Amino acid sequence: MKWRTIFSSKTMGDDEEVKVFGMWASPYSRRVELALKLKGIPYEYIEEDLSNKSALLIKHNPVHQKIPVLVHNGKSIPESLVILEYIDETWRNNPILLSQDPYDRAMARFWAKFIDEKILSTTRKVSFTTGKEQEHAIEEVTEQLKLLENEVKGKAYFGGEGIGYVDIVANFLVFWFGNLQEALGINIFSQHKFPFIFEWIQKQLKIDMVDECRIPKDKHLTYIRTRLAAFKSASK
Amino acid sequence: MAEEVVLLDFWPSMFGMRSRIALAEKGIKYEYKEEDLWNKSALLLQMNPVHKKIPVLIHNGKPVCESLIQVQYIDEVWHDKAPLLPSDPYQKATARFWADYVDKKIYDLGNRVWKTKGEEQATAKKEFIESLKLIEKELGDKPYFGGESLGYVDVAFIPFYSWFYAYEKCGNFNIEAECPKLIAWAKRCMQKESVAKSLADQQKVYDFVLQMKKHFGIE
């Protein structure tokens, strides 16, 4: 059953219609919602059942048929990183997510890509492999987290003076990673090993909108455990 | 202050070719440094410690890694000439989406075409052709993905043209027969000096692929 929720901090203008096709447990989907909430942009949220994708989702993202998709006044934008830049370029109010300086922008894009293509991707391997393969994935993600730790060392935020593009992309570390560890019974990511990332997490949690995009922990743990069980039985 | 631009690159890399084209489009003079990927230079390891990969663009001593990030950087720094990305946010998003599609789909599928054989290769070939047809549809009747002039998606995708011959020989198929509009687009791009001078020779790329196949034991 699909449900729609309208998040409004102010009345939606006649000429602005913003929709997000998402999935509650997807970090890619939540980062889009976080960006919109930070900018104070009201939007209609449509929860997708990924095992039974809606005709509307397929219409708005025929190429990949994935969430999230942002639909702004009928125009569809898929791919979360593309969506984040679109949001920042369309609504120029604070917080500005990407610096105007080309070099800073290049660095932000680099780290966002690193988080998605390395950390998130290796985390999937950690979740869905066993034995030696999982051990290797754990080592790999630990090394990748160390690089990120180094990047946030001495900074309040990844970008600069306030929450920005990389902080939003790294939001995965604020809620998801801890839950995943708990469900998997591993301990890769701890305050002891990554004090700077943990300090950054504490600062993130103080931001209202970040807290508003919190993943409900118990529901998430159940979700992860169900997926892990399905994977285990499929691989027998 | 005089601008100092260095590109650490590897001649058959379609990713390196993107930055070469972007720099040429903007008329930027730069120093090209060929890397031996089996013996990476100290400079490369210093400038890209995270991935240790080419291409790396070094602008006044500061490194920019990842080819699409470099192309955007080049477009933003030297914004007064030959703009590659449109100014409208939605058109920009569309361009970024398709460049990402080239990376996520076309590159991977192309790799599988030359790196595999038998049934695996047959599947890769089918999916590769489908992905080319999809992007050909996006081109439509426009002369370039960027419209009337070379744009971001053109720069992102045209380097793959230098690999088409290798894909065709390895996979035993003909891309022009499947995607005539795409080949017409590629030839149109090749008329531009920035592209012609930046792309590797197709035969040389094929010889390189054969060497790689031998090296990886893929016959």
Side-chain angles (χ1 to χ4, degrees), chain A residues 77 132 208 211:
Chain A
I77 301 116
K132 275 254 165 310
D208 285 344
D211 201 54

Side-chain angles (χ1 to χ4, degrees), chain B residues 65-103:
Chain B
C65 306
E66 300 296 313
S67 64
L68 290 181
I69 296 176
Q70 287 164 10
V71 173
Q72 290 185 88
Y73 176 80
I74 291 165
D75 199 37
E76 288 165 12
V77 171
W78 293 283
H79 52 81
D80 44 358
K81 187 180 176 192
L84 297 171
L85 273 162
S87 47
D88 171 71
Y90 180 65
Q91 287 176 14
K92 243 194 243 197
T94 305
R96 286 183 178 133
F97 173 84
W98 286 103
D100 176 71
Y101 180 83
V102 173
D103 274 3

Side-chain angles (χ1 to χ4, degrees), chain A:
Chain A
M1 198 63 207
K2 303 208 188 343
W3 49 272
R4 292 164 183 249
T5 316
I6 308 214
F7 290 101
S8 277
S9 55
K10 48 186 179 218
T11 319
M12 244 192 270
D14 284 337
D15 52 354
E16 289 278 48
E17 192 200 51
V18 182
K19 297 186 192 197
V20 175
F21 288 79
M23 194 263 171
W24 68 272
S26 159
Y28 305 100
S29 171
R30 284 280 169 156
R31 62 172 65 147
V32 170
E33 291 195 81
L34 178 56
L36 290 168
K37 282 182 198 269
L38 285 166
K39 295 261 192 189
I41 299 152
Y43 63 96
E44 182 188 340
Y45 176 78
I46 298 119
E47 177 73 23
E48 279 289 328
D49 172 0
L50 298 186
S51 61
N52 184 21
K53 292 173 181 177
S54 73
L56 258 182
L57 172 64
I58 296 171
K59 173 185 158 206
H60 287 301
N61 188 2
V63 175
H64 299 302
Q65 303 185 3
K66 285 182 172 180
I67 56 90
V69 183
L70 182 81
V71 183
H72 180 209
N73 294 336
K75 297 182 289 196
S76 339
I77 301 116
E79 295 300 307
S80 65
L81 296 184
V82 175
I83 297 170
L84 290 181
E85 291 214 37
Y86 176 83
I87 290 171
D88 202 35
E89 286 159 3
T90 304
W91 292 281
R92 296 300 295 153
N93 58 306
N94 281 336
I96 300 291
L97 304 179
L98 271 167
S99 159
Q100 290 290 75
D101 175 73
Y103 191 74
D104 292 341
R105 290 160 76 82
M107 291 310 294
R109 287 169 176 147
F110 175 86
W111 286 107
K113 192 171 188 216
F114 180 78
I115 290 166
D116 274 5
E117 290 183 9
K118 297 290 173 185
I119 297 180
L120 270 161
S121 158
T122 313
T123 302
R124 258 194 297 280
K125 270 198 258 176
V126 169
S127 308
F128 296 112
T129 58
T130 50
K132 275 254 165 310
E133 220 185 322
Q134 189 186 46
E135 270 173 44
H136 181 74
I138 290 173
E139 271 171 35
E140 222 185 315
V141 83
T142 306
E143 288 309 307
Q144 291 163 352
L145 286 166
K146 281 186 188 160
L147 287 167
L148 205 66
E149 168 84 354
N150 212 41
E151 186 53 26
V152 82
K153 188 157 71 173
K155 294 184 194 169
Y157 303 93
F158 278 98
E161 301 308 310
I163 187 169
Y165 182 70
V166 182
D167 304 284
I168 294 173
V169 175
N171 179 260
F172 165 74
L173 294 168
V174 177
F175 302 115
W176 275 262
F177 210 99
N179 292 348
L180 254 165
Q181 291 206 117
E182 198 174 314
L184 286 167
I186 54 177
N187 184 19
I188 311 168
F189 189 50
S190 66
Q191 182 167 16
H192 171 71
K193 288 190 205 165
F194 300 99
F196 296 112
I197 296 181
F198 269 76
E199 212 179 300
W200 169 82
I201 290 175
Q202 293 317 306
K203 281 197 194 70
Q204 289 292 294
L205 288 170
K206 292 200 170 83
I207 300 170
D208 285 344
M209 295 307 171
V210 172
D211 201 54
E212 239 186 74
C213 286
R214 178 183 286 275
I215 292 268
K217 184 169 178 176
D218 289 338
K219 188 178 176 191
H220 194 216
L221 281 171
T222 307
Y223 171 78
I224 298 169
R225 287 183 174 128
T226 310
R227 286 188 85 199
L228 290 174
F231 160 69
K232 279 205 173 78
S233 63
S235 48
K236 282 205 169 77

Side-chain angles (χ1 to χ4, degrees), chain B residues 125-140:
Chain B
K125 217 168 81 179
K126 179 171 166 281
E127 290 178 13
F128 180 64
I129 292 167
E130 274 166 20
S131 73
L132 291 182
K133 286 188 166 159
L134 194 68
I135 202 168
E136 186 185 50
K137 212 169 123 195
E138 172 60 21
L139 175 67

